[in-house]
Amino acid sequence: SQVHLVDERCPCGAADDTVVSEIDRYGLPLTTVLCAACGCLRTNPYLDDPSLDDFYRTTYQTMYARAPHLETYFANQTGYGVRVRALYEVELPQRASVLEVGCGAGGSLVAFHDRGHFVAGCELSRDLIEFGRSKGVPNLWHGTVEEMPMPLASQRWDLIYLHHVFEHVQSPSKSLHSLSRLLAPGGRILTIVPDVTRIDQFTNPNGDALKFLHVAHKFNYTVPCLEVVGHAVGLAAAPATPPPELKTAWSEMPELWMEFRAPTGGLTTPRLPRGEGERILNYLLNTERRHLAGFGVPPSTVLESPANPSQPTDRAKSRKPVKRLWNWLRRRSDRAA
Ligand SMILES: [Zn+2]
């Protein structure tokens, strides 16, 4: 199938970008730009809707060797499910309704199902859905959230969460808007995405920003960017902090946990901090310099399951290092000079 690329603005609405890289983590040509207004990194131009849909239904599942060991993957998923559950231990009502969008094999939903909550999840990989069903996870369907099967369609949700999914979506505001219409009164949406603004503090990616740049990650969001996106669809957005003592297969990488909910009272307009793009750009430049000089995060907090083959960190380690062509054009700094 043919691939079509389209140019788009940053989700914050600004149109002032700096090209920060012209390759991805595999050394393949891919243009990443940084928004001067909010600091969000995004792939631009990007695949259009049909190309992206085709990508996720076919290429993505094999290209990224997404779940080579299903049992381990499923158990790891339950791990992050426990972490999300811990965040809402107090807040969630009894028998809450919980929906995961892009749920993989549905392993994380087990954490909620075990506590008597009503769970459901959707996923574009048919194999992962079938595996989840074989493990007894209820209400899983193959497809998008719009393709929700009839018995679930009238359900409203106390919690909708997306774990390493929101950075992949074509339009964050459209996705957020359609999800917000599925919320029960007082419900919330939680998005968990990689956090490129703290890459020097975690063993993965160990200060190597290039590892976060690849075609499946359309966006590397910042907090201000997501605040603006939330506001645009009538939701208040705020960062959330997961319980630090719970380790998962994903907790060795920096994550941004962001919560969206209907505002109580009026919705305050978020203000983009002045010079946010410049600040993120400088952070990335400094981190890259230190990374190239051999800086590394001390491995003191490594997850205690060394024989686990499906951890993203282990997979990354087994790959040959790509030639570093980190191409900072620094148009912004040049203009300022
Ligand atoms: Zn922006």
Tab-separated table of all heavy atoms in Angstrom, residues 144-174:
chain	number	residue	atom	x	y	z
A	144	THR	N	-10.931	-0.214	16.993
A	144	THR	CA	-10.761	1.088	17.638
A	144	THR	C	-11.869	1.298	18.663
A	144	THR	O	-12.821	0.512	18.743
A	144	THR	CB	-10.851	2.222	16.602
A	144	THR	OG1	-12.188	2.229	16.059
A	144	THR	CG2	-9.858	2.029	15.468
A	145	VAL	N	-11.758	2.388	19.401
A	145	VAL	CA	-12.773	2.685	20.417
A	145	VAL	C	-14.119	3.003	19.749
A	145	VAL	O	-15.182	2.712	20.292
A	145	VAL	CB	-12.280	3.808	21.372
A	145	VAL	CG1	-12.269	5.157	20.695
A	145	VAL	CG2	-13.079	3.825	22.657
A	146	GLU	N	-14.045	3.537	18.513
A	146	GLU	CA	-15.285	3.829	17.767
A	146	GLU	C	-16.007	2.546	17.366
A	146	GLU	O	-17.204	2.557	17.103
A	146	GLU	CB	-14.981	4.650	16.508
A	146	GLU	CG	-14.618	6.115	16.763
A	146	GLU	CD	-13.192	6.297	17.265
A	146	GLU	OE1	-12.357	5.380	17.059
A	146	GLU	OE2	-12.916	7.344	17.893
A	147	GLU	N	-15.262	1.462	17.303
A	147	GLU	CA	-15.846	0.180	16.914
A	147	GLU	C	-16.327	-0.627	18.125
A	147	GLU	O	-16.479	-1.845	18.050
A	147	GLU	CB	-14.816	-0.628	16.099
A	147	GLU	CG	-14.506	0.005	14.744
A	147	GLU	CD	-13.203	-0.495	14.104
A	147	GLU	OE1	-12.359	-1.063	14.805
A	147	GLU	OE2	-13.041	-0.267	12.883
A	148	MET	N	-16.565	0.045	19.219
A	148	MET	CA	-17.028	-0.593	20.454
A	148	MET	C	-18.280	-1.434	20.199
A	148	MET	O	-19.228	-0.951	19.585
A	148	MET	CB	-17.350	0.500	21.481
A	148	MET	CG	-17.590	-0.012	22.880
A	148	MET	SD	-17.952	1.346	24.044
A	148	MET	CE	-16.350	2.111	24.271
A	149	PRO	N	-18.284	-2.699	20.644
A	149	PRO	CA	-19.450	-3.547	20.378
A	149	PRO	C	-20.698	-3.050	21.115
A	149	PRO	O	-20.606	-2.419	22.168
A	149	PRO	CB	-19.024	-4.922	20.887
A	149	PRO	CG	-17.843	-4.677	21.765
A	149	PRO	CD	-17.208	-3.408	21.324
A	150	MET	N	-21.855	-3.367	20.548
A	150	MET	CA	-23.140	-2.834	21.025
A	150	MET	C	-23.388	-2.896	22.535
A	150	MET	O	-23.770	-1.893	23.122
A	150	MET	CB	-24.307	-3.502	20.275
A	150	MET	CG	-24.760	-2.726	19.056
A	150	MET	SD	-24.810	-0.940	19.324
A	150	MET	CE	-26.348	-0.823	20.274
A	151	PRO	N	-23.201	-4.057	23.168
A	151	PRO	CA	-23.549	-4.093	24.600
A	151	PRO	C	-22.773	-3.072	25.426
A	151	PRO	O	-23.237	-2.649	26.482
A	151	PRO	CB	-23.173	-5.525	25.034
A	151	PRO	CG	-22.914	-6.284	23.796
A	151	PRO	CD	-22.666	-5.325	22.685
A	152	LEU	N	-21.613	-2.650	24.953
A	152	LEU	CA	-20.794	-1.709	25.723
A	152	LEU	C	-21.072	-0.257	25.351
A	152	LEU	O	-20.705	0.665	26.073
A	152	LEU	CB	-19.307	-1.986	25.476
A	152	LEU	CG	-18.738	-3.303	25.990
A	152	LEU	CD1	-17.296	-3.465	25.520
A	152	LEU	CD2	-18.803	-3.375	27.509
A	153	ALA	N	-21.722	-0.073	24.209
A	153	ALA	CA	-21.808	1.282	23.639
A	153	ALA	C	-22.506	2.290	24.555
A	153	ALA	O	-22.202	3.477	24.495
A	153	ALA	CB	-22.504	1.227	22.285
A	154	SER	N	-23.418	1.827	25.405
A	154	SER	CA	-24.128	2.774	26.272
A	154	SER	C	-23.408	2.975	27.604
A	154	SER	O	-23.822	3.793	28.427
A	154	SER	CB	-25.546	2.269	26.533
A	154	SER	OG	-25.478	0.991	27.143
A	155	GLN	N	-22.347	2.235	27.819
A	155	GLN	CA	-21.595	2.329	29.083
A	155	GLN	C	-20.871	3.673	29.179
A	155	GLN	O	-20.338	4.170	28.194
A	155	GLN	CB	-20.570	1.184	29.127
A	155	GLN	CG	-19.747	1.102	30.393
A	155	GLN	CD	-20.566	0.676	31.603
A	155	GLN	OE1	-21.359	-0.246	31.533
A	155	GLN	NE2	-20.395	1.390	32.704
A	156	ARG	N	-20.903	4.274	30.373
A	156	ARG	CA	-20.068	5.446	30.610
A	156	ARG	C	-19.014	5.068	31.640
A	156	ARG	O	-19.252	4.244	32.497
A	156	ARG	CB	-20.910	6.639	31.091
A	156	ARG	CG	-21.808	7.211	29.976
A	156	ARG	CD	-20.981	7.759	28.818
A	156	ARG	NE	-21.749	8.116	27.635
A	156	ARG	CZ	-21.938	7.329	26.572
A	156	ARG	NH1	-21.428	6.107	26.546
A	156	ARG	NH2	-22.636	7.731	25.539
A	157	TRP	N	-17.828	5.675	31.523
A	157	TRP	CA	-16.649	5.151	32.208
A	157	TRP	C	-16.137	6.085	33.294
A	157	TRP	O	-16.010	7.287	33.077
A	157	TRP	CB	-15.552	4.863	31.178
A	157	TRP	CG	-16.049	3.982	30.058
A	157	TRP	CD1	-16.622	4.397	28.886
A	157	TRP	CD2	-16.107	2.551	30.060
A	157	TRP	NE1	-17.000	3.309	28.143
A	157	TRP	CE2	-16.696	2.158	28.835
A	157	TRP	CE3	-15.697	1.560	30.955
A	157	TRP	CZ2	-16.902	0.826	28.501
A	157	TRP	CZ3	-15.894	0.230	30.615
A	157	TRP	CH2	-16.480	-0.127	29.410
A	158	ASP	N	-15.805	5.494	34.439
A	158	ASP	CA	-15.212	6.272	35.530
A	158	ASP	C	-13.734	6.545	35.269
A	158	ASP	O	-13.196	7.556	35.706
A	158	ASP	CB	-15.352	5.506	36.856
A	158	ASP	CG	-16.804	5.298	37.240
A	158	ASP	OD1	-17.516	6.313	37.358
A	158	ASP	OD2	-17.231	4.132	37.384
A	159	LEU	N	-13.114	5.625	34.557
A	159	LEU	CA	-11.703	5.803	34.213
A	159	LEU	C	-11.458	5.246	32.815
A	159	LEU	O	-11.839	4.117	32.510
A	159	LEU	CB	-10.802	5.070	35.225
A	159	LEU	CG	-9.316	4.965	34.869
A	159	LEU	CD1	-8.652	6.342	34.811
A	159	LEU	CD2	-8.574	4.078	35.889
A	160	ILE	N	-10.856	6.073	31.972
A	160	ILE	CA	-10.368	5.611	30.669
A	160	ILE	C	-8.869	5.861	30.678
A	160	ILE	O	-8.430	6.974	30.983
A	160	ILE	CB	-11.009	6.399	29.501
A	160	ILE	CG1	-12.533	6.243	29.518
A	160	ILE	CG2	-10.439	5.940	28.163
A	160	ILE	CD1	-13.258	7.100	28.475
A	161	TYR	N	-8.065	4.841	30.405
A	161	TYR	CA	-6.623	5.104	30.362
A	161	TYR	C	-5.978	4.558	29.101
A	161	TYR	O	-6.475	3.633	28.473
A	161	TYR	CB	-5.915	4.627	31.635
A	161	TYR	CG	-5.919	3.140	31.899
A	161	TYR	CD1	-4.847	2.336	31.516
A	161	TYR	CD2	-6.979	2.537	32.562
A	161	TYR	CE1	-4.829	0.976	31.783
A	161	TYR	CE2	-6.977	1.181	32.833
A	161	TYR	CZ	-5.898	0.398	32.441
A	161	TYR	OH	-5.894	-0.946	32.700
A	162	LEU	N	-4.877	5.215	28.735
A	162	LEU	CA	-4.120	4.876	27.530
A	162	LEU	C	-2.655	4.794	27.918
A	162	LEU	O	-2.071	5.803	28.325
A	162	LEU	CB	-4.297	5.935	26.437
A	162	LEU	CG	-5.710	6.236	25.916
A	162	LEU	CD1	-6.426	7.249	26.805
A	162	LEU	CD2	-5.639	6.767	24.495
A	163	HIS	N	-2.087	3.616	27.846
A	163	HIS	CA	-0.712	3.379	28.279
A	163	HIS	C	0.197	3.280	27.054
A	163	HIS	O	0.105	2.341	26.274
A	163	HIS	CB	-0.676	2.077	29.093
A	163	HIS	CG	0.684	1.708	29.613
A	163	HIS	ND1	1.485	0.783	28.987
A	163	HIS	CD2	1.365	2.140	30.693
A	163	HIS	CE1	2.612	0.661	29.683
A	163	HIS	NE2	2.565	1.460	30.713
A	164	HIS	N	1.035	4.273	26.890
A	164	HIS	CA	1.923	4.329	25.713
A	164	HIS	C	1.135	4.191	24.407
A	164	HIS	O	1.475	3.383	23.538
A	164	HIS	CB	3.055	3.297	25.834
A	164	HIS	CG	4.024	3.652	26.922
A	164	HIS	ND1	5.196	4.321	26.681
A	164	HIS	CD2	3.946	3.514	28.271
A	164	HIS	CE1	5.815	4.551	27.837
A	164	HIS	NE2	5.073	4.070	28.808
A	165	VAL	N	0.087	4.960	24.317
A	165	VAL	CA	-0.811	4.962	23.153
A	165	VAL	C	-1.004	6.384	22.621
A	165	VAL	O	-0.985	6.612	21.418
A	165	VAL	CB	-2.180	4.355	23.538
A	165	VAL	CG1	-3.231	4.621	22.466
A	165	VAL	CG2	-2.044	2.853	23.777
A	166	PHE	N	-1.144	7.339	23.529
A	166	PHE	CA	-1.522	8.695	23.123
A	166	PHE	C	-0.441	9.365	22.260
A	166	PHE	O	-0.748	10.245	21.455
A	166	PHE	CB	-1.818	9.536	24.369
A	166	PHE	CG	-2.744	10.683	24.123
A	166	PHE	CD1	-3.989	10.497	23.546
A	166	PHE	CD2	-2.374	11.980	24.478
A	166	PHE	CE1	-4.850	11.568	23.323
A	166	PHE	CE2	-3.222	13.055	24.267
A	166	PHE	CZ	-4.457	12.846	23.690
A	167	GLU	N	0.806	8.935	22.410
A	167	GLU	CA	1.877	9.493	21.570
A	167	GLU	C	1.778	8.991	20.127
A	167	GLU	O	2.441	9.489	19.238
A	167	GLU	CB	3.268	9.178	22.157
A	167	GLU	CG	3.696	7.716	22.128
A	167	GLU	CD	3.241	6.922	23.351
A	167	GLU	OE1	2.194	7.269	23.929
A	167	GLU	OE2	3.925	5.949	23.722
A	168	HIS	N	0.944	7.958	19.927
A	168	HIS	CA	0.778	7.377	18.590
A	168	HIS	C	-0.406	7.965	17.816
A	168	HIS	O	-0.526	7.728	16.631
A	168	HIS	CB	0.518	5.859	18.680
A	168	HIS	CG	1.606	5.082	19.350
A	168	HIS	ND1	2.420	4.210	18.674
A	168	HIS	CD2	2.021	5.033	20.634
A	168	HIS	CE1	3.289	3.655	19.515
A	168	HIS	NE2	3.053	4.139	20.717
A	169	VAL	N	-1.320	8.637	18.486
A	169	VAL	CA	-2.585	8.987	17.825
A	169	VAL	C	-2.388	10.072	16.772
A	169	VAL	O	-1.491	10.911	16.872
A	169	VAL	CB	-3.691	9.431	18.822
A	169	VAL	CG1	-3.942	8.345	19.848
A	169	VAL	CG2	-3.367	10.763	19.472
A	170	GLN	N	-3.240	10.050	15.784
A	170	GLN	CA	-3.134	11.014	14.696
A	170	GLN	C	-3.450	12.428	15.182
A	170	GLN	O	-2.724	13.365	14.921
A	170	GLN	CB	-4.104	10.603	13.574
A	170	GLN	CG	-4.005	11.420	12.323
A	170	GLN	CD	-2.743	11.111	11.527
A	170	GLN	OE1	-1.635	11.273	12.012
A	170	GLN	NE2	-2.897	10.687	10.295
A	171	SER	N	-4.572	12.575	15.893
A	171	SER	CA	-4.963	13.889	16.403
A	171	SER	C	-5.304	13.783	17.885
A	171	SER	O	-6.349	13.248	18.254
A	171	SER	CB	-6.181	14.415	15.644
A	171	SER	OG	-6.752	15.501	16.372
A	172	PRO	N	-4.421	14.288	18.763
A	172	PRO	CA	-4.695	14.186	20.207
A	172	PRO	C	-5.999	14.871	20.616
A	172	PRO	O	-6.720	14.344	21.473
A	172	PRO	CB	-3.486	14.861	20.863
A	172	PRO	CG	-2.689	15.471	19.786
A	172	PRO	CD	-3.097	14.874	18.484
A	173	SER	N	-6.322	16.016	19.994
A	173	SER	CA	-7.549	16.699	20.417
A	173	SER	C	-8.792	15.925	19.978
A	173	SER	O	-9.755	15.798	20.749
A	173	SER	CB	-7.587	18.141	19.904
A	173	SER	OG	-7.485	18.166	18.509
A	174	LYS	N	-8.759	15.373	18.759
A	174	LYS	CA	-9.919	14.578	18.317
A	174	LYS	C	-10.089	13.338	19.197
A	174	LYS	O	-11.206	12.994	19.597
A	174	LYS	CB	-9.751	14.147	16.859
A	174	LYS	CG	-10.200	15.202	15.875
A	174	LYS	CD	-10.115	14.667	14.445
A	174	LYS	CE	-10.151	15.808	13.444
A	174	LYS	NZ	-9.587	15.417	12.139
